[in-house]
Amino acid sequence: MATINKNYLKLQGSYLFSTIARKVKEYSEQHPDAEIIRLGIGDVTQPLAPAMTYALHRAVDEMGNEKTFRGYAPDLGYEFLRRAIAEKDFKKRGCNIEPDEIFVSDGAKGDCSNIQEIFGTDNTIAVCDPVYPVYVDSNVMAGRTGEYDSVTQRFAGVIYMPCTEENLFLPELPSKVPDLIYLCFPNNPTGTVMKKDRLQKWVDYANEHGSIILFDAAYESYISEEDVPHSIYECDGARTCAIEMRSFSKTAGFTGLRLGYTVIPRELEAGGEKLWPLWARRHGTKYNGAPYIVQRAGEAVYTDEGRRQVEEQIAYYMGNAKIILNGLNKAGYEVFGGVNAPYIWLKTPDDMTSWEFFDYLLDKANVVGTPGSGFGPSGEHFFRLTAFGNRENTIRAIERISKIH
Ligand code: PLP
């Protein structure tokens, strides 16, 4: 008789966004006239920019022609894209990353959740609290559920690093050393960034203790301040302790198109074994590559025209962030983030829980956001709004929220 992976039963509750969707559906059914504005899920609203749609059309035509048709993509991704990434995302910022250290994928969610497969199931992981839920859930599915392993005498669980108002939403170096450390900056959900000197301390700590940092830089393109690193490889010694994951989703509106990549330096090791060949093997065995046409669209993001167009989109979203920050500040809310990230992290008023504020906002302002507690216990009494709406809706939402405060 078939059995199941019982770790799935240890996953907490239903996924945050499905609970939100259910609540909004119920509310809409009871209030059919309510004009609901959604500033909850972190999905973009602006269409693909022309440089990318042009590249897509051209690549589709190539696929329809026998002479230029392409089948399976190379395991690591097309060289044209990996070269553009190495040059523009890394060399330009002084990071020494080679094209063959870049693994192209269909997005960062898959990479963030799959990367743990190349590490021992007895590894302890550390995550920020609040956190993008995928890191924890993927480790729970793999069996890192907090139980003591009597064979290896190790505790394969999750260490939560609280990110609170007191520590300005930046995690402290853990006293019990984790094997894997997930860091996401600019951060989802708090919108915080880590300055270079602070990130350097994490790199030094990881090198000193033999930990591996899994650095999620999905929101890198939203950084506006000078002294904020765009890549962990801007820190000395990161090549021997860090893997970095990036996404085209929020940079260039690829949430529906799907493209991302993971960087694994050649010399990076865990327990005396190189990680690059393991991820190459995993990639080659379980994945057949991002579509050619999407990789061509990704290449277009690195052209001068493409870059200018995506920067315009990012400026548009960050204009929304400014409207949210200023509007909520004026209305007397305590707000964080929103300067180097498309997320605004606000403290709920009158000591409401995150879900109480969710219901209150939905009912009184018909605005949907994301309860902070859904990202972890330290997110309680906080609430996330995103800058990914369109301008008109963002303005209307903030007017409504301001009125009810
Ligand atoms: N990492 C973080 C921190 C995210 O917030 C998201 C998406 O919301 C992702 C990764 C997933 O990105 P992708 O669309 O490339 O799968």
Side-chain angles (χ1 to χ4, degrees), residues 15 17 41-43 105-112 131-135 183-189 216-219 245-250 254-256 258-261 343 375 384 388:
Y15 190 61
F17 294 107
I41 296 182
D43 199 355
S105 72
D106 62 357
K109 190 179 200 172
D111 287 355
C112 290
V131 66
Y132 177 55
V134 169
Y135 313 145
L183 292 180
C184 170
F185 291 102
N187 188 261
N188 175 14
D216 183 346
Y219 298 95
M245 286 147 302
R246 296 251 190 130
S247 167
F248 286 70
S249 286
K250 310 300 160 64
F254 278 40
T255 51
R258 311 303 308 145
L259 193 64
Y261 66 85
Y343 294 118
F375 297 100
R384 191 192 75 173
F388 288 125

